[in-house]
Amino acid sequence: MPHKGTHSYLKNIAIFGASGLGREVLMLIHQINQFIPTWNMIGFYDDNPETPKTINKYPYLGNRDKLQAVKEPLYVAIAIGNPGIKAQVAEKITNENIQFATLIHPAVPNEAYQFNQIGEGTIITQGCVITTNITLGQHVLLNLGCTLGHDVKLGDYTSLMPHVNIAGNSELGKGVYVGTNATVIQFLKVGDKAIIGAGAVVHRDLPAAVTAVGVPAKIIKRHHG
C-alpha cells in the first residue's frame, strides 16, 4: 500500500467520500497505477463523523475542515454520486494546495484524449465506452459500463450510474442524475438538475428540475432548483 513519501514521482491523492463509491474510486486509482504508476493514495476525507478509522486499509484523514487545512500539494477525487452534494463539496474546497484529480480508466480508448473535452475532476470508471467529439464538464461521473455516443455533452456535476446509455448528439445539463440502466436516445436535451430514474428510456426532451421514470420516461415530479 502506497503511503506518503513513497516514490517522489507519484502525485499524492486523497478521496473525499468514504462510501461504497469512494471504495470504487480507490479501485480505479489502483487500476490506473497498474497501467502507469501515477498516484500515491494517502487516505479518505469525509464529513460523516461516524466514518471508520480505516477504509480498505487506508486511513480516514478527517472532515472538510481538515482538508481545507492541508499545507502541501494534494489531488482530491470527489466520490459522491448526488450531483447537488458533489457541487457543494467542490465549491467549498478553496485551499490553493488542492487540485481536483481527473481519473480515467486505462482501458478507455485513446480517442477520449484526442477529440473529446474532459473537465477537471471528472471520473470515468471501468467498462465505459466514450466515442468521439464528446464534451464532459467538471466533476462528471461515469459509473461502471456507461456508453456515450458521438457529440454528447454532459454538464458539470452530472452523474451517470452503471450501464447508462446516452445516444449521439444528446445534451444533459448541469447537475443531472441518471439512474442505473437508463437510456437517453439521440438528439435530446435534458435540463439542469433533472433526475432520470433507473431503467427509464427518455425519448423526448426533459425540462430542468424534474424527475422522470418509466418506459417511455414520464415526468412524475417537478422540484425546485
Side-chain angles (χ1 to χ4, degrees), residues 17-157:
S19 64
L21 179 58
R23 286 179 274 119
E24 290 182 343
V25 172
L26 172 62
M27 181 176 71
L28 174 60
I29 291 170
H30 289 168
Q31 291 165 336
I32 292 169
N33 280 345
Q34 288 171 2
F35 185 70
I36 299 177
T38 305
W39 302 107
N40 176 40
M41 173 66 182
I42 66 168
F44 288 82
Y45 290 89
D46 197 297
D47 284 336
N48 183 353
E50 297 182 359
T51 300
K53 291 183 179 180
T54 59
I55 302 94
N56 285 14
K57 298 184 179 180
Y58 287 89
Y60 170 56
L61 301 172
N63 59 16
R64 199 180 319 167
D65 291 338
K66 292 286 188 180
L67 182 58
Q68 285 280 55
V70 300
K71 300 185 184 303
E72 298 179 0
L74 179 66
Y75 283 85
V76 172
I78 300 179
I80 296 174
N82 183 297
I85 297 174
K86 181 165 50 174
Q88 291 174 10
V89 170
E91 291 167 3
K92 290 181 179 179
I93 294 175
T94 58
N95 186 330
E96 293 183 355
N97 291 313
I98 293 171
Q99 296 184 60
F100 293 112
T102 302
L103 302 175
I104 303 174
H105 190 276
V108 173
N110 286 337
E111 192 84 1
Y113 303 92
Q114 296 180 37
F115 302 109
N116 298 326
Q117 299 178 35
I118 299 176
E120 181 184 51
T122 285
I123 296 172
I124 303 176
T125 62
Q126 186 172 11
C128 291
V129 177
I130 62 176
T131 58
T132 189
N133 299 94
I134 288 167
T135 302
L136 305 181
Q138 297 182 355
H139 300 286
V140 170
L141 170 65
L142 303 187
N143 213 323
L144 301 169
C146 291
T147 65
L148 303 182
H150 62 85
D151 300 288
V152 162
K153 296 181 180 179
L154 304 183
D156 295 346
Y157 305 112

